[in-house]
Amino acid sequence: MRPKDPADDEPSDAILVERIRDGSPAALEPLYRRHGGGIYRFALLWSGSTSVAADVTQEVFMHLLTHAADFDAGRGRMAAYLCGVARNFVRRQLAIPAHDPLPETDDDTLTRSLRIPEEDEPLPQLLRKRELELLRTAIARLPAPYRDALVLVELHGCSYVEAASICGCEIGTIRSRLSRARNFLAEKLADERDASVTGEIR
Amino acid sequence: MSDDALDRKLDALRHEIEGLEPPPSIEQAITAAVRAGSRKLQPRRWHHGWRERWPAWPILLAASIAVVAWTLQTQRGGEFRPMPASDAPAIATEFIPLVPVRDIASDEGAYIVATRMPRVMLADFGLPVNPARAADPVASELLVRRDGTVLAVRFID
């Protein structure tokens, strides 16, 4: 017999939301402890900014306080629901329309638009941290629909179904956007590596 | 760059952010807002038994009006007033007490926590809510005692 895990006694997300709905806002605190980190990381990846991520995280849980009735446990996980709310808030903070169209540019133009300005460094550094910074910056500069797919599925662990539900589109659309997002990132990072090796000044 | 190489980089990024947590100030603000809102978010089930309780309505209404009038008179809270021009272009309310005023006056260890509240909470304090901005949070400041008790709130718009 498996030893009893203290987590077994913790109420589920659905029960906690029900308590908020019934007038016990204190139930928000365990929900925050459970999901706050994930929402913060999601917003950070999406926006590339720690201050935006902090603001959005706070807004998401304040929103839950008064809109707990909007969550339907039968339609999906709380984590995915909160991601959807966070996505709307982070878009609002960055002034990106909720359903912005895909960019009307060819791939070359888009790749150029992802170019990251070189910092004033004496020599390009091929350190892991720098590479991750480049990757994070490149993700934050992806067009919003591609960023949605990449951050939700690749980095936040959402299923295609959840991502499609959050973005309000078909599963196939998520797949194709994810594929394009990966292509753009791969090109971008390869360009950066080449530039670092040759010392090219952008 | 190959798919494998990109996967490795994405893995590394996932690993790097795994331990990242939001700043502690967010949890403090949420805790404070929860405590401030606990009185406001009681379930509104009065309508279920209103027929049984209707004789109490006039008394309840009169008492509410008296309390609100007294609060407005003594605290001048509840109406948006311009802040000094040197501070900010924002409009703010006075601090609206959530506990008896004597408790606030006798408290020396309180501090202010900046946060954002759902705009609909303005209505709970009798303040107007612009329907066009109902979905936007409203900036607010909570006067919080060291033990976490929220003493007062003001809204900045």
Side-chain angles (χ1 to χ4, degrees), chain A residues 27-39:
Chain A
L28 184 69
E29 292 174 272
L31 279 173
Y32 175 76
R33 284 193 291 274
R34 205 174 285 173
H35 298 288
I39 293 304

Side-chain angles (χ1 to χ4, degrees), chain A residues 28-186:
Chain A
L28 184 69
E29 292 174 272
L31 279 173
Y32 175 76
R33 284 193 291 274
R34 205 174 285 173
H35 298 288
I39 293 304
Y40 176 74
R41 291 188 287 275
F42 168 78
L44 178 61
L45 285 169
W46 217 100
S47 66
S49 155
T50 51
S51 61
V52 170
D55 280 353
V56 165
T57 305
Q58 186 169 324
E59 284 182 22
V60 165
F61 286 90
M62 293 298 180
H63 176 88
L64 188 59
L65 200 56
T66 50
H67 294 76
D70 293 351
F71 172 65
D72 179 355
R75 294 180 58 187
R77 296 181 302 141
M78 170 58 89
Y81 168 76
L82 293 176
C83 268
V85 177
R87 173 181 173 268
N88 291 338
F89 280 128
V90 79
R91 278 169 170 257
R92 188 185 301 167
Q93 285 244 354
L94 302 177
I96 298 173
H99 297 289
D100 55 337
L102 286 169
E104 293 178 3
T105 56
D106 57 26
D107 288 1
D108 286 346
T109 311
L110 186 55
T111 305
R112 279 198 299 277
S113 77
L114 295 176
R115 187 160 292 162
I116 299 164
E118 195 66 34
E119 293 166 16
D120 292 334
E121 291 178 355
L123 288 171
Q125 296 185 16
L126 297 174
L127 298 174
R128 179 176 167 275
K129 191 177 173 187
R130 168 82 173 145
E131 286 188 353
L132 291 180
E133 271 178 28
L134 288 173
L135 177 59
R136 209 158 56 179
T137 310
I139 290 170
R141 292 178 178 210
L142 280 171
Y146 300 149
R147 208 183 323 169
D148 272 338
L150 188 93
V151 172
L152 285 168
V153 176
E154 286 278 7
L155 296 170
H156 205 65
C158 286
S159 67
Y160 284 102
V161 175
E162 286 174 333
S165 167
I166 288 169
C167 299
C169 63
E170 300 293 325
I171 294 174
T173 307
I174 292 291
R175 283 185 199 281
S176 64
R177 288 179 183 177
L178 178 59
S179 170
R180 294 201 76 191
R182 289 179 57 95
N183 288 341
F184 289 135
L185 278 186

